[in-house]
Amino acid sequence: MVEQASKKKGRILSGMRPTGPLHLGHLVGALGNWAKLQDEYECYYTIVDYHALMSEYRQPEIIDQATSDVVLDWLACGLDPQGSAIFRQSDVPAHAELHLILSCIVPIGWLERVPTYKEQLQQLKHKEINTYAFLGYPCLQAADILIYKANAVPVGEDQASHLELTREIARRFNSLFGHVFPEPDALILKEQQGSRLLGLDRRKMSKSYDNTIDLKEDPQTMRKKVLSMITDPQRRTKKDPGRPDFCNVATFYRLFAPDRYEKLEVAANCSGAGWGCVECKTHMYEGLAEYLQPIQEKRRKLAQSPERVEEILQDGAAKAAPVAGQTLEEVRQKCNLKGKRTL
Ligand code: TRP
Ligand code: SF4
């Protein structure tokens, strides 16, 4: 069982789409926080394969591999399958059923107004996601959260509008049918000033921009990628002073190699033009590689037993399903759905 709620501050649910291996942006924006929250909360972490299918329906075969990749990355970063429920969304059918029920009460206008909707339609034009399901993406996300009556949802800033919608859906359900759902809080890490991690090209780090460093990146490729990072454009030559508060390489130092940042006096060497960017990046690469080494080591070991990954997912589903099933029962009663269940 997931540890007793009584000992914990409340329930957490969060999820990620299985579309490929995770990168440093995931670690800084969410995953690092998820691992810490395990001590204080009863945690449910789900790999949302239905959400992946919405954009990858032309190549569903990638979802399996991506699911294993995500589980391995999660475990390597400290998610604990003993304490937390780590599971695949489609292994717990109650998510899909609650999604259908919620879709009865969610006005289309609410979905059309979600800012990520039009953005994604634009950005992923080639994937033809102008579908019925994709419009309902945040409604399924709300079901993921509400089916566990989660109190808090740790996510990146980009998910804020989905969380707001989840709260609105919870309110609407409760006022129509009677109180079932708590309104979940978004736990959004406010990235400290000057510590906002960007991709290699200074855009948001994202697989679709091809500007990531993956958690499982091999050292050679990682080195090349670090050396290709865009720095402060004001440093055209080695003699031009740079701005360590602006440069993304300095942000990497502060997040992954703070000791080196101090010891090598990176800030002074940058603003005083004491060294060149290549030297600066080379030391940063070494710090980053050192930081990732234990994570990658753990991942490599786990990857040697793929059957263990599936076992963890099945254990996780066995923990999550009874909790989800109980909420669904309550929901069906409130909505006066009388069908006898044949589970
Ligand atoms: N939309 C989220 C993302 O793209 C993934 C997600 C699906 C999720 N269901 C969720 C996140 C429930 C938190 C809670 O990152
Ligand atoms: Fe960035 Fe380092 Fe170059 Fe300064 S010296 S601009 S911190 S890479």
Side-chain angles (χ1 to χ4, degrees):
M1 281 297 284
V2 172
E3 279 183 59
Q4 287 287 301
S6 56
K7 280 190 261 156
K8 306 254 174 168
K9 282 209 294 204
R11 240 180 231 166
I12 284 220
L13 175 127
S14 202
M16 283 188 196
R17 285 159 20 97
T19 53
L22 303 182
H23 52 67
L24 293 175
H26 291 112
L27 180 61
V28 172
L31 200 47
N33 200 23
W34 292 15
K36 290 189 202 127
L37 290 164
Q38 293 179 118
D39 297 333
E40 287 173 47
Y41 291 86
E42 183 188 330
C43 293
Y44 295 80
Y45 293 128
T46 180
I47 295 176
V48 291
D49 51 346
Y50 280 125
H51 279 110
L53 191 61
M54 290 178 191
S55 61
E56 309 305 321
Y57 60 87
R58 286 188 191 279
Q59 42 165 1
E61 66 282 357
I62 70 156
I63 294 175
D64 237 12
Q65 178 60 48
T67 299
S68 311
D69 273 329
V70 172
V71 177
L72 291 173
D73 285 333
W74 282 5
L75 299 175
C77 291
L79 296 203
D80 165 25
Q82 303 290 308
S84 305
I86 292 174
F87 64 100
R88 204 189 257 118
Q89 184 187 36
S90 70
D91 274 329
V92 183
H95 291 232
E97 196 167 338
L98 180 60
H99 165 254
L100 178 56
I101 295 172
L102 296 179
S103 76
C104 298
I105 64 163
V106 176
I108 291 178
W110 288 13
L111 298 169
E112 287 170 335
R113 271 199 302 275
V114 175
T116 49
Y117 176 59
K118 290 204 176 87
E119 266 165 44
Q120 294 278 74
L121 278 190
Q122 270 304 319
Q123 246 180 46
L124 303 179
K125 248 192 182 127
H126 55 289
K127 299 214 161 155
E128 295 175 66
I129 50 173
N130 200 354
T131 57
Y132 166 58
F134 193 71
L135 177 63
Y137 181 112
C139 182
L140 177 58
Q141 182 165 350
D144 296 337
I145 297 164
L146 297 177
I147 198 80
Y148 300 100
K149 301 188 180 182
N151 308 100
V153 186
V155 281
E157 249 165 352
D158 60 323
Q159 297 295 310
S161 62
H162 292 175
L163 260 293
E164 197 36 59
L165 185 73
T166 301
R167 297 160 62 84
E168 277 176 299
I169 294 174
R171 278 200 288 277
R172 185 165 168 94
F173 184 97
N174 291 343
S175 77
L176 283 165
F177 299 112
H179 191 274
V180 174
F181 300 120
E183 282 181 42
D185 290 322
L187 291 185
I188 293 173
L189 277 189
K190 284 276 166 276
E191 289 168 279
Q192 294 152 352
Q193 194 67 24
S195 297
R196 200 194 168 85
L197 184 81
L198 300 171
L200 304 176
D201 56 2
R202 290 194 56 85
R203 290 188 290 174
K204 178 186 154 109
M205 190 179 281
S206 160
K207 191 157 90 88
S208 50
Y209 293 147
D210 195 19
N211 66 357
T212 66
I213 292 180
D214 294 343
L215 296 177
K216 66 174 190 137
E217 203 79 75
D218 72 90
Q220 299 301 33
T221 320
M222 191 167 25
R223 190 163 193 281
K224 268 193 222 137
K225 285 187 169 183
V226 167
L227 288 170
S228 80
M229 281 173 72
I230 292 185
T231 63
D232 182 351
Q234 282 190 7
R235 288 210 80 185
R236 266 161 311 167
T237 75
K238 222 166 144 171
K239 288 190 202 114
D240 297 317
R243 294 168 293 174
D245 290 338
F246 172 88
C247 180
N248 193 30
V249 175
T251 305
F252 272 62
Y253 266 109
R254 287 191 290 264
L255 289 168
F256 304 113
D259 295 353
R260 275 172 202 250
Y261 189 73
E262 293 303 322
K263 252 224 302 299
L264 298 170
E265 299 179 39
V266 174
N269 272 320
C270 176
S271 56
W275 66 6
C277 290
V278 173
E279 193 179 348
C280 179
K281 286 170 166 178
T282 305
H283 289 294
M284 189 278 271
Y285 156 74
E286 282 163 10
L288 179 61
E290 207 172 277
Y291 178 91
L292 287 176
Q293 199 273 334
I295 294 176
Q296 296 193 338
E297 185 56 35
K298 192 164 174 196
R299 195 185 196 284
R300 251 193 306 277
K301 280 206 190 112
L302 290 161
Q304 282 165 5
S305 35
E307 68 294 341
R308 179 75 192 116
V309 169
E310 191 54 39
E311 221 173 79
I312 285 170
L313 289 173
Q314 292 317 310
D315 281 1
K319 287 184 206 164
V323 180
Q326 205 176 359
T327 309
L328 190 59
E329 239 1 273
E330 214 182 313
V331 165
R332 288 164 54 88
Q333 268 178 25
K334 295 272 193 210
C335 301
N336 211 28
L337 287 162
K338 293 282 158 64
K340 296 276 174 289
R341 305 195 52 84
T342 52
L343 287 180

